[in-house]
Amino acid sequence: MEVEGEENIQRTTSSIIITMSASCDSDRVTRQVIKNVLAKLQKEGEGALVRNGITEIHQALLDPFVLLVDFSFSLTAGFADHPHRGFESVTYMLKGGIIHKYLKGNESTIKAGDVQWMTAGRGIIHSEFPEEEVNNGLQLWINLPSIHRMIEPKNLELSSLEIPRAEKDGVEVKVIAGDSLGIKSPYYTTTPIMFLDFTLKPGSQTHQTVPESWTAFAYILEGDEGVFGSLNSLAIQAHYVVVFGPGDLVSVWNKSTSRALRFLLIAGEPIGEPLVQCGPFVMSSQDEIDMAFEDYRNAKNGFELAKSS
């Protein structure tokens, strides 16, 4: 497989490989890898380093997901007050902390292992700045159905200790959304999703059920001998987005004898509606994008607090 950042599509000559599960449940169909995309490290603005795992060119393939950004900031960097509309986001900190401030007065710090769910809805204005010099986090944008785009904004923050987790046979999972190993998260997004943080010890494997109709992908955080889809597939390294084809089971093996494999398994129910993303706004048409910019400039329709920014 290509390791220089080129997209790698694994296909048979006629169709995507479909194999039966390697788990004890032989009725399940294992999702095979149909695409690998390296999230290249690049600079963004002054003092920010990012890996863009999902961009505009992948949005149709990965509906309902809009963006996935793996980020880190220097202490002098960050994002000053800026607006959002039309989507939900999940911010998951891996190292250090990020300070979130909202124009309406709320302020909080998301530390390593913590999660912030944010529904931008009709409009929200906030800032994001690092708390510590060493920091690293992930932010996932999730599309909203058109009937929910203009819902009231809301925010939920969970400390690492509040996130359910389970461990079995060398596999540890943090259940941020969805369920795994008999543990279910009590938290829900407007658009149904699964968000699991897996760590596989050397030589271990996991077989995770995923609703057949959902889009599913993995993002590899650590490790270089992870095998996805079928045991004879090529290993995929850290910082790749691994896109799965049809089926209802995701199978992963850690072939390393000395190093753990850590990855996020993310899945969601496709919306199947038009999507236009421009900067901080996610809407259903260019006219709605133009209206969002106009509302922000004129401090109205959800952006009233922009008058004080």
Side-chain angles (χ1 to χ4, degrees):
M1 84 182 242
E2 298 289 337
V3 295
E4 298 298 327
E6 295 296 323
E7 297 177 353
N8 179 32
I9 302 176
Q10 301 180 356
R11 300 182 185 272
T12 62
T13 56
S14 58
S15 63
I16 299 171
I17 303 171
I18 301 292
T19 62
M20 299 311 293
S21 166
S23 73
C24 58
D25 188 346
S26 60
D27 292 333
R28 296 200 175 276
V29 177
T30 303
R31 291 173 176 250
Q32 297 301 303
V33 177
I34 61 170
K35 194 169 192 176
N36 303 328
V37 181
L38 176 62
K40 296 179 181 179
L41 188 66
Q42 58 191 40
K43 292 183 179 180
E44 185 171 295
E46 292 294 328
L49 293 174
V50 301
R51 297 180 183 271
N52 291 306
I54 299 176
T55 62
E56 275 190 74
I57 63 173
H58 307 118
Q59 287 170 355
L61 178 65
L62 291 173
D63 179 17
F65 304 107
V66 181
L67 293 176
L68 176 68
V69 181
D70 182 340
F71 64 85
S72 61
F73 299 123
S74 69
L75 279 178
T76 59
F79 295 107
D81 288 339
H82 60 280
H84 289 298
R85 175 182 281 179
F87 66 97
E88 294 181 299
S89 69
V90 182
T91 301
Y92 183 34
M93 291 305 298
L94 305 175
K95 298 177 183 177
I98 291 291
I99 301 169
H100 284 260
K101 293 183 180 180
Y102 297 88
L103 279 188
K104 63 181 181 180
N106 301 34
E107 178 179 331
S108 62
T109 301
I110 314 301
K111 295 183 176 292
D114 296 349
V115 172
Q116 181 203 57
W117 301 94
M118 185 186 78
T119 302
R122 64 194 298 262
I124 199 166
I125 301 172
H126 73 155
S127 63
E128 300 159 288
F129 288 97
E131 182 195 38
E132 304 173 38
E133 181 67 42
V134 177
N135 61 81
N136 178 218
L138 296 156
Q139 190 167 99
L140 175 71
W141 289 18
I142 308 156
N143 193 18
L144 286 170
S146 56
I147 60 172
H148 295 314
R149 284 213 193 279
M150 299 296 281
I151 60 177
E152 288 300 314
K154 59 184 178 180
N155 185 63
L156 173 66
E157 292 167 3
L158 305 174
S159 72
S160 178
L161 295 176
E162 294 177 285
I163 298 172
R165 65 192 69 201
E167 187 170 357
K168 182 180 180 181
D169 299 333
V171 176
E172 180 182 356
V173 61
K174 293 177 67 177
V175 185
I176 297 167
D179 60 88
S180 183
L181 298 183
I183 301 296
K184 188 175 182 67
S185 171
Y187 306 104
Y188 299 91
T189 49
T190 304
T191 300
I193 71 163
M194 171 183 288
F195 193 120
L196 306 174
D197 180 355
F198 278 102
T199 300
L200 274 59
K201 292 181 179 179
S204 62
Q205 58 185 273
T206 190
H207 305 277
Q208 173 66 42
T209 57
V210 176
E212 187 174 5
S213 62
W214 286 19
T215 299
F217 71 94
Y219 180 63
I220 306 172
L221 298 173
E222 300 172 12
D224 54 12
E225 294 190 57
V227 172
F228 296 77
S230 61
L231 191 53
N232 61 352
S233 297
L234 295 174
I236 305 175
Q237 300 177 356
H239 307 304
Y240 270 87
V241 172
V242 182
V243 183
F244 298 103
D248 56 5
L249 194 79
V250 171
S251 294
V252 184
W253 295 262
N254 182 7
K255 286 192 172 182
S256 174
T257 59
S258 59
R259 188 177 180 188
L261 171 69
R262 186 181 181 190
F263 63 93
L264 301 180
L265 177 59
I266 298 172
E269 184 175 33
I271 295 172
E273 296 180 351
L275 178 152
V276 180
Q277 183 249 323
C278 183
F281 303 132
V282 177
M283 304 302 291
S284 301
S285 67
Q286 186 59 49
D287 286 345
E288 291 181 357
I289 290 287
D290 295 341
M291 181 61 70
F293 278 106
E294 181 179 338
D295 286 347
Y296 180 59
R297 285 193 298 267
N298 294 309
K300 64 180 185 178
N301 294 334
F303 297 122
E304 285 77 7
L305 292 175
K307 294 176 182 178
S308 61
S309 63

